[in-house]
Amino acid sequence: DTEVTQTPKHLVMGMTNKKSLKCEQHMGHRAMYWYKQKAKKPPELMFVYSYEKLSINESVPSRFSPECPNSSLLNLHLHALQPEDSALYLCASSLGSLSGNTIYFGEGSWLTVV
Amino acid sequence: SQQGEEDPQALSIQEGENATMNCSYKTSINNLQWYRQNSGRGLVHLILIRSNEREKHSGRLRVTLDTSKKSSSLLITASRAADTASYFCATDARDYGQNFVFGPGTRLSVLP
């Protein structure tokens, strides 16, 4: 089972709302990732968790707050977003965070900020 | 900074033809991976090639890596309409550790 599940698939939120994106994997992977992808652009790394600890934050604004409650779950809490934050948010996981591990992606959550 | 850069950015071919996409990168890498993304969907892993490998095959896919030129190519043989997608290379740069960087991608259209 090589599956990363993301919910919701689509989310529309106002600039004053608080919402969360959720990601789950049951492959025993110990590294989990959040990527942001704008239309016709490549995914851009936001955060990396390794063994449930945040190991990389690519200078992401604080209105995005990641959380890794356990090794299978990864959340992205959203608050006071801007319309330019509208994008496809991709969750991914890999066996470990070391080089050579294949990264498996979920289908993504389409976020629209109005 | 952008690590991988695909060439061409868009490619349109007829079904049955071969499609070749190239990827160039700037720094030393541990490995390079190719992904496919159908419109609006998640990325599907195609193949991983390590820095000490020169060529790998998987079904209709053939990937080459030339570390001296810092480039890789993805060849899809006997293309099908279902191969229509965006293809990205991603590098695991040696100096960046686990920072996995994608190139801009090639949008492939296979016409029936």
Side-chain angles (χ1 to χ4, degrees), chain A residues 37 58 97 99 103 107, chain B residues 30-31 35 37 41 98-99:
Chain A
Q37 186 178 25
E58 290 286 0
S97 58
S99 172
I103 297 184
E107 289 292 322
Chain B
N30 297 309
N31 63 73
Y35 286 81
Q37 184 177 35
R41 305 291 298 275
Q98 63 190 173
N99 192 345

Side-chain angles (χ1 to χ4, degrees), chain B:
Chain B
S1 62
Q2 188 161 280
Q3 171 71 326
E5 295 192 14
E6 280 91 346
D7 167 38
Q9 298 219 341
L11 179 61
S12 187
I13 60 173
Q14 295 293 134
E15 216 168 13
E17 292 180 339
N18 295 343
T20 300
M21 289 160 271
N22 302 300
C23 168
S24 61
Y25 56 90
K26 295 182 175 64
T27 66
S28 297
I29 60 170
N30 297 309
N31 63 73
L32 185 146
Q33 304 190 40
W34 284 91
Y35 286 81
R36 183 186 76 230
Q37 184 177 35
N38 290 73
S39 182
R41 305 291 298 275
L43 283 85
V44 174
H45 182 260
L46 296 176
I47 201 162
L48 179 154
I49 187 164
R50 301 186 191 283
S51 59
N52 62 352
E53 297 175 312
R54 293 296 167 257
E55 188 171 312
K56 283 189 84 168
H57 296 256
S58 177
R60 293 184 296 114
L61 305 180
R62 173 178 168 253
V63 167
T64 63
L65 179 64
D66 186 335
T67 52
S68 66
K69 295 181 180 177
K70 291 188 169 59
S71 68
S72 173
S73 67
L74 170 66
L75 168 67
I76 303 174
T77 60
S79 63
R80 305 166 182 167
D83 295 327
T84 294
S86 290
Y87 291 82
F88 295 94
C89 70
T91 51
D92 181 357
R94 192 162 295 157
D95 292 339
Y96 291 99
Q98 63 190 173
N99 192 345
F100 197 60
V101 181
F102 285 85
T106 294
R107 292 188 303 281
L108 174 66
S109 297
V110 181
L111 307 174

